[in-house]
Amino acid sequence: MTPKLKANEAVLVLGDLQIGITDLPLTVPQQSLVRSAAGLARLAEIFDIPTLALCIPKGEDTHPTIIPEITRVRSKFQQIRRTCPDSFESPAFRDALEATGRKSMIVCGVATEIVVQWLALSGIAHGYRVFLVVDACGGLSQRTEEASLRRLEAAGVVMTSVVSLAGEISGDFTTSPGREAIGVVFQLIATGYGH
């Protein structure tokens, strides 16, 4: 069994959850994707999990904008521009990740087959425990996303979801911050999570 994730050992890495990317035709409806990503960002806010938000230039947009569903709930994050599929090839990303001092990566984003896959595979290769939040990811097709998920699981990546992660890191539901974490779960359910 994989040891339980502790919030004080984790860093959240958001892959390309930006305007102009999350609204592409993906394996998950945009509303579901952004709802889950916002829930995950809210958990990072509650537990003060360092957050790195990767983004790529898209067409003429050389200054990408992280989706507002994340920026409304996560007050502190470092936005890092990436220009290659494997973010570990970027010194800015590697330096920011190492500066957190955390050895467990929580990963999500678009597309599962590109930014998410390489974050997870390279994270494992660099000695990180990697937790992939599947409901906060979007793939380009069911077949290609499934192939990526199988590859990642075989490499040792832990598959999870926003609600599973909330339960894993929350601790006691009757006291803070556990009370707020379980509140994220109830909020997701109230807004149609899983449908």
mmCIF file of all heavy atoms in Angstrom, residues 102-103 115 119-120 137 139 141 191 194:
data_model
loop_
_atom_site.group_PDB
_atom_site.id
_atom_site.type_symbol
_atom_site.label_atom_id
_atom_site.label_comp_id
_atom_site.label_asym_id
_atom_site.label_seq_id
_atom_site.Cartn_x
_atom_site.Cartn_y
_atom_site.Cartn_z
ATOM 1 N N ARG A 102 9.343 20.038 -1.186
ATOM 2 C CA ARG A 102 8.358 18.962 -1.074
ATOM 3 C C ARG A 102 8.746 17.810 -2.007
ATOM 4 O O ARG A 102 9.287 18.039 -3.077
ATOM 5 C CB ARG A 102 6.955 19.469 -1.430
ATOM 6 C CG ARG A 102 6.525 20.751 -0.697
ATOM 7 C CD ARG A 102 6.215 20.483 0.760
ATOM 8 N NE ARG A 102 5.812 21.654 1.503
ATOM 9 C CZ ARG A 102 4.561 21.949 1.826
ATOM 10 N NH1 ARG A 102 3.565 21.191 1.425
ATOM 11 N NH2 ARG A 102 4.310 23.015 2.559
ATOM 12 N N LYS A 103 8.428 16.579 -1.602
ATOM 13 C CA LYS A 103 8.789 15.407 -2.407
ATOM 14 C C LYS A 103 7.587 14.624 -2.942
ATOM 15 O O LYS A 103 7.736 13.555 -3.500
ATOM 16 C CB LYS A 103 9.696 14.472 -1.600
ATOM 17 C CG LYS A 103 11.088 15.041 -1.352
ATOM 18 C CD LYS A 103 11.812 15.474 -2.600
ATOM 19 C CE LYS A 103 12.329 14.325 -3.428
ATOM 20 N NZ LYS A 103 13.040 14.733 -4.650
ATOM 21 N N VAL A 115 1.330 17.330 -21.214
ATOM 22 C CA VAL A 115 1.900 17.959 -20.014
ATOM 23 C C VAL A 115 1.748 17.074 -18.783
ATOM 24 O O VAL A 115 2.685 16.923 -18.002
ATOM 25 C CB VAL A 115 1.316 19.376 -19.778
ATOM 26 C CG1 VAL A 115 -0.162 19.343 -19.448
ATOM 27 C CG2 VAL A 115 2.090 20.090 -18.683
ATOM 28 N N LEU A 119 4.918 15.405 -16.806
ATOM 29 C CA LEU A 119 5.109 15.814 -15.406
ATOM 30 C C LEU A 119 5.207 14.587 -14.514
ATOM 31 O O LEU A 119 6.088 14.485 -13.654
ATOM 32 C CB LEU A 119 3.933 16.671 -14.931
ATOM 33 C CG LEU A 119 3.962 18.147 -15.238
ATOM 34 C CD1 LEU A 119 2.614 18.780 -14.922
ATOM 35 C CD2 LEU A 119 5.077 18.832 -14.453
ATOM 36 N N ALA A 120 4.282 13.648 -14.718
ATOM 37 C CA ALA A 120 4.235 12.464 -13.864
ATOM 38 C C ALA A 120 5.428 11.542 -14.097
ATOM 39 O O ALA A 120 6.085 11.103 -13.136
ATOM 40 C CB ALA A 120 2.922 11.726 -14.092
ATOM 41 N N CYS A 137 -8.197 16.365 -14.960
ATOM 42 C CA CYS A 137 -7.409 16.202 -16.191
ATOM 43 C C CYS A 137 -8.356 16.064 -17.372
ATOM 44 O O CYS A 137 -9.476 15.575 -17.225
ATOM 45 C CB CYS A 137 -6.545 14.939 -16.122
ATOM 46 S SG CYS A 137 -5.192 15.014 -14.948
ATOM 47 N N GLY A 139 -8.148 14.758 -21.554
ATOM 48 C CA GLY A 139 -7.354 14.201 -22.637
ATOM 49 C C GLY A 139 -7.893 14.596 -23.994
ATOM 50 O O GLY A 139 -8.971 15.184 -24.116
ATOM 51 N N SER A 141 -8.367 12.332 -26.587
ATOM 52 C CA SER A 141 -9.321 11.299 -27.012
ATOM 53 C C SER A 141 -9.341 10.233 -25.924
ATOM 54 O O SER A 141 -8.385 10.101 -25.151
ATOM 55 C CB SER A 141 -8.938 10.687 -28.363
ATOM 56 O OG SER A 141 -7.955 9.677 -28.200
ATOM 57 N N THR A 191 -22.767 20.827 -6.660
ATOM 58 C CA THR A 191 -22.726 21.462 -7.987
ATOM 59 C C THR A 191 -22.658 20.435 -9.122
ATOM 60 O O THR A 191 -22.272 20.780 -10.242
ATOM 61 C CB THR A 191 -21.539 22.439 -8.086
ATOM 62 O OG1 THR A 191 -20.318 21.745 -7.801
ATOM 63 C CG2 THR A 191 -21.708 23.602 -7.124
ATOM 64 N N GLY A 194 -19.433 14.484 -10.669
ATOM 65 C CA GLY A 194 -19.622 13.098 -11.064
ATOM 66 C C GLY A 194 -20.767 12.865 -12.030
ATOM 67 O O GLY A 194 -21.060 11.732 -12.398
#
